[in-house]
Amino acid sequence: MAFESLSDKLQNTFKKLRGKGVLTEKDIDAAMREVKLALLEADVNFKVVKEFVSDVREQCLGSEVMQSLTPAQQVIKIVDEKLTELMGGENTKISYSPTGFTTIMMAGLQGTGKTTTCGKLANYLKESGKKPMLAACDVYRPAAIDQLEVVGKACHTPVYTDRDSKDPVKIALAAKQQAERQGYNVLIIDTAGRLQIDEDLMAELADIKERVKPHQILLVVDALTGQDAVNAAKGFNERLDIDGIIMTKMDGDARGGAALSARKVTGKPILFLGTGEKYDALEAFHPGRMADRILGMGDMLSLIESAERNLDEEQAERQLERLKKNQFTLDDFLEQMGQVRKMGGLGKILDMIPGMTQAQKQGVNLEESEREFNQMEAIIHSMTKEERNDPTILNASRRKRIAKGAGQPVSKVNNLIRKYEDAKKMMKQFTNPKKARKNRMLRKLMEENS
């Protein structure tokens, strides 16, 4: 998980403060030293850390905190607010051209995942009701055009190519004309990258910017490269005046220093985070929600959004109706497990649940959970339709046969039936009008914060 080590250290620091009824200046200074070390170990820019800690310390020493009945909570609140401010404050959404046709130029160094991110962005825009086209303007890297075509096919997004031309400006202009002519309203331009920032790269990107006039220039940076990513962002911004940043490989970066430094160093917002290899693994970046996650407060709004985006509402309604009629079957249970996977799996859900500490998350063996999912799937598929529809008929001999067919011990079959019964009980809560009203309140809260 992104920010895992930082989250652990900050939560441990504040745990010590919670044990004190009154905070002294010495307590604040000791806590700020630990916060400073935690941020530096997370690879946050030194100047950013120095200014952040100074601001937090000054505010923590104010009378509102020192005289509070719950000073530790006040300190956490200040750190939460300052972390949110550091990462940009409010969520910044992608900007579209008022003309109705938007051109987005993607820039970045080689190896950042830029071409794959073009596909992820196209997928995200389609979910937002847009109709995107991709343009292959990397004319130097071997197989770059082929790669974008593979990405486009996977995302069901058309790709404009011109294999005879070595002029990226000409290709981009032609792609823009064709996209507009064919009724697309967003063109995503995949440009060439380099192993490092050099004059040729910047001159080419500046030429595309001048002649194609993209409405948005988005920079793709690799979170795993830490401060190198921040330095790259600074260099690109100075030459191109970028509009926003997409931070890739956040799922593999336990430190998160690049995300905490990029906004402060460049002055440009982080728009999206790449959180996995799949084409739907692109999340809008919400500074406040990310600060809450870092401090162990969870992220219920993102969890609700993920559920609404990935879960099939008609399917859920159908299951609830079947449950009311006592017709909830093992096939329905299998569908439920599939929907958890759609949301990114158990690990991603745990990251968003308030109050879940890293120790508690580590107590959940995600590999074992995934293996258990696969085992339950195999067991259900080893049953007859009659058995899946009515598990009450599963006597000892049937369970033995099913276990043998799935290559599992009978105890695994028994465990599956227990989980199925637990799921039925849990779902019955959602048929309660009070629970349904609570769900509507959560949805309203999400809308107000979007």
Side-chain angles (χ1 to χ4, degrees):
M1 182 197 91
F3 303 107
E4 187 173 318
S5 60
L6 175 62
S7 182
D8 278 345
K9 289 181 173 65
L10 290 182
Q11 288 182 54
N12 286 334
T13 298
F14 297 134
K15 190 175 181 181
K16 295 174 188 175
L17 293 181
R18 287 192 187 99
K20 298 178 181 287
V22 178
L23 293 184
T24 64
E25 185 173 345
K26 187 177 178 181
D27 293 328
I28 297 293
D29 286 340
M32 289 306 103
R33 276 195 298 273
E34 291 190 33
V35 169
K36 182 178 180 180
L37 284 173
L39 290 168
L40 290 172
E41 287 178 18
D43 201 23
V44 181
N45 180 279
F46 176 75
K47 290 181 180 178
V48 172
V49 172
K50 188 177 178 182
E51 185 178 334
F52 176 83
V53 172
S54 176
D55 288 348
V56 172
R57 181 184 181 278
E58 183 180 344
Q59 201 163 334
C60 285
L61 290 173
S63 59
E64 181 185 344
V65 173
M66 302 304 284
Q67 295 173 16
S68 170
L69 292 175
T70 55
Q73 291 179 8
Q74 291 287 341
V75 171
I76 295 169
K77 180 174 180 287
I78 290 169
V79 173
D80 185 41
E81 290 172 351
K82 290 295 181 181
L83 271 176
T84 301
E85 185 182 314
L86 178 64
M87 292 186 285
E90 296 296 321
N91 163 243
T92 303
K93 296 182 179 180
I94 195 166
S95 175
Y96 300 105
S97 171
T99 65
F101 184 89
T102 301
T103 305
I104 300 172
M105 180 173 124
M106 305 285 276
L109 298 177
Q110 278 184 19
T112 59
K114 177 164 50 62
T115 299
T116 302
T117 301
C118 286
K120 290 181 179 181
L121 180 60
N123 196 65
Y124 181 92
L125 294 176
K126 285 167 69 177
E127 289 181 352
S128 303
K130 298 294 181 181
K131 192 177 178 183
M133 174 185 275
L134 299 166
C137 293
D138 182 352
V139 296
Y140 307 108
R141 184 168 60 88
I145 296 174
D146 293 336
Q147 183 188 356
L148 190 64
E149 286 184 324
V150 169
V151 166
K153 186 176 181 181
C155 298
H156 307 289
T157 304
V159 180
Y160 180 87
T161 64
D162 184 349
R163 293 177 182 274
D164 297 324
S165 176
K166 294 298 180 184
D167 184 348
V169 173
K170 179 182 174 184
I171 296 171
L173 288 170
K176 188 176 179 181
Q177 289 178 351
Q178 181 165 313
E180 286 189 278
R181 189 168 59 247
Q182 294 183 352
Y184 295 93
N185 52 24
V186 180
L187 178 69
I188 302 170
I189 302 173
D190 183 25
T191 63
R194 298 283 192 282
L195 294 175
Q196 60 186 16
I197 294 174
D198 62 25
E199 194 58 40
D200 290 342
L201 170 65
M202 288 304 173
E204 180 178 299
L205 294 176
D207 197 21
I208 295 174
K209 177 184 177 181
E210 182 182 352
R211 295 177 60 190
V212 180
K213 294 179 172 50
H215 188 67
Q216 291 265 281
I217 300 176
L218 303 185
L219 179 68
V220 181
V221 295
D222 181 349
L224 292 175
T225 60
Q227 288 311 297
D228 285 341
V230 178
N231 294 333
K234 186 179 179 182
F236 274 95
N237 186 52
E238 287 172 351
R239 294 294 299 273
L240 295 174
D241 189 23
I242 63 174
D243 296 290
I245 298 167
I246 300 178
M247 195 79 62
T248 64
K249 305 177 189 176
M250 284 297 292
D251 55 315
D253 180 26
R255 296 180 302 172
L260 285 171
S261 307
R263 172 61 187 249
K264 188 72 175 179
V265 171
T266 64
K268 298 302 169 68
I270 298 172
L271 298 180
F272 299 100
L273 298 178
T275 57
E277 295 179 2
K278 294 182 179 178
Y279 289 107
D280 59 356
L282 189 71
E283 294 181 4
F285 183 65
H286 296 268
R289 300 185 195 180
M290 187 57 72
D292 287 350
R293 281 199 217 182
I294 293 171
L295 297 176
M297 300 176 191
D299 184 1
M300 284 305 297
L301 291 177
S302 291
L303 183 58
I304 294 167
E305 284 179 354
S306 179
E308 292 201 330
R309 185 170 60 250
N310 291 295
L311 302 188
D312 188 321
E313 193 169 333
E314 288 184 12
Q315 186 183 71
E317 290 291 337
R318 187 173 67 250
Q319 288 183 353
L320 285 172
E321 285 301 316
R322 290 170 63 79
L323 186 67
K324 288 176 185 177
K325 299 174 184 176
N326 202 29
Q327 294 175 342
F328 185 77
T329 69
L330 280 164
D331 283 326
D332 296 320
F333 181 58
L334 190 61
E335 281 185 2
Q336 277 191 344
M337 291 193 293
Q339 298 217 18
V340 171
R341 281 175 165 163
K342 275 187 181 180
M343 290 175 64
L346 187 59
K348 195 165 183 178
I349 293 172
L350 290 178
D351 284 342
M352 296 180 186
I353 297 176
M356 284 291 291
T357 65
Q358 290 305 319
Q360 287 172 319
K361 292 172 192 173
Q362 287 166 5
V364 179
N365 189 322
L366 297 179
E367 287 187 11
E368 179 62 33
S369 297
E370 182 63 24
R371 188 158 50 246
E372 191 174 354
F373 273 0
N374 292 334
Q375 289 170 352
M376 288 193 289
E377 191 173 31
I379 290 168
I380 292 172
H381 285 155
S382 293
M383 297 178 185
T384 65
K385 186 172 182 60
E386 183 187 15
E387 289 166 342
R388 293 199 298 272
N389 287 338
D390 183 12
T392 60
I393 67 173
L394 293 176
N395 57 25
S397 61
R398 284 176 182 265
R399 295 187 186 210
K400 187 175 179 180
R401 188 204 82 244
I402 291 164
K404 186 176 180 181
Q408 301 295 328
V410 174
S411 60
K412 292 285 186 181
V413 179
N414 296 335
N415 185 49
L416 165 66
I417 300 304
R418 279 196 300 272
K419 287 183 181 295
Y420 159 73
E421 293 295 343
D422 289 343
K424 278 181 72 173
K425 289 175 187 175
M426 184 179 70
M427 283 192 69
K428 279 181 180 176
Q429 295 177 10
F430 290 94
T431 64
N432 185 317
K434 290 183 180 178
K435 295 286 183 181
R437 192 157 54 246
K438 186 177 179 183
N439 271 349
R440 287 196 294 272
M441 288 172 66
L442 282 172
R443 189 172 286 109
K444 184 179 179 183
L445 177 65
M446 183 189 72
E447 290 169 355
E448 288 172 352
N449 284 271
S450 63

